[in-house]
Amino acid sequence: MANRQQVEAAADIARGLLGEVPSVSSPASGLTELVRRFALIEFDVPDSSDSDGYLFQYGQANWFSEPTFELSLVRQLEVVDLSGRWEAYVQVLFEFRYPLDEDLGSVDSHSEWWFPGNEMSFDLWLESVDRSPIMGLLSGKTLREFVVLQVRV
């Protein structure tokens, strides 16, 4: 389809949307609206139900120099080679990083996928993300960093 964007440009497109939402200073303030807008953009992926999906995840991250708690909403896009065979996935992460404190250290890690064709609509799934107890807990925390990343997996 001619209107579809190239997967390699996904993070740049996502960053371009940041100016269209009122605020993304915490996950509870604008994250799902940003993801809704990003979801409207079609990418050049195969026409299968698992080629364009979303992941809501949070938990402790031990790969930073300081103890860190991360929450992210991820869009995963499938990349295929010229013959149509699976090559990789590109993930665009909207990621919030917080200093790990006692409250966040007691939170169990969580991950939850959504793909087209799931029983729950995308809008209802995003509403469940908004209502997640972690959103309330993080609203009282000091954000260390918000990043938009693109990784190939």
Side-chain angles (χ1 to χ4, degrees), residues 3-90:
N3 320 11
R4 291 184 177 189
Q5 301 292 320
Q6 293 300 309
V7 171
E8 292 75 20
D12 290 336
I13 292 168
R15 287 183 196 103
L17 295 173
L18 288 173
E20 296 181 15
V21 293
S23 169
V24 188
S25 58
S26 79
S29 70
L31 175 61
T32 54
E33 179 58 29
L34 177 61
V35 170
R36 278 183 217 284
R37 290 174 190 247
F38 189 47
L40 295 174
I41 297 165
E42 292 186 27
F43 288 93
D44 189 15
V45 297
D47 291 325
S48 63
S49 62
D50 61 352
S51 65
D52 187 354
Y54 294 83
L55 171 63
F56 172 54
Q57 62 184 358
Y58 55 82
Q60 296 178 38
N62 60 5
W63 48 87
F64 295 103
S65 60
E66 300 174 39
T68 301
F69 186 89
E70 290 183 320
L71 178 141
S72 60
L73 255 170
V74 180
R75 185 172 182 180
Q76 179 171 280
L77 303 162
E78 184 176 355
V79 178
V80 294
D81 63 18
L82 293 175
S83 66
R85 290 189 189 151
W86 179 85
E87 185 176 302
Y89 291 106
V90 166

Side-chain angles (χ1 to χ4, degrees), residues 14-15 18 24-27 31 34 71-73 93-98 143-149:
R15 287 183 196 103
L18 288 173
V24 188
S25 58
S26 79
L31 175 61
L34 177 61
L71 178 141
S72 60
L73 255 170
L93 295 83
F94 298 94
E95 188 169 276
F96 294 85
R97 299 174 182 165
Y98 294 86
L143 179 66
R144 177 183 297 149
E145 183 177 26
F146 171 72
V147 295
V148 178
L149 302 170

Side-chain angles (χ1 to χ4, degrees), residues 97-119:
R97 299 174 182 165
Y98 294 86
L100 186 64
D101 62 16
E102 188 175 319
D103 291 339
L104 296 176
S106 67
V107 173
D108 290 330
S109 295
H110 174 81
S111 63
E112 174 184 337
W113 285 95
W114 182 92
F115 288 95
N118 281 11
E119 291 181 19

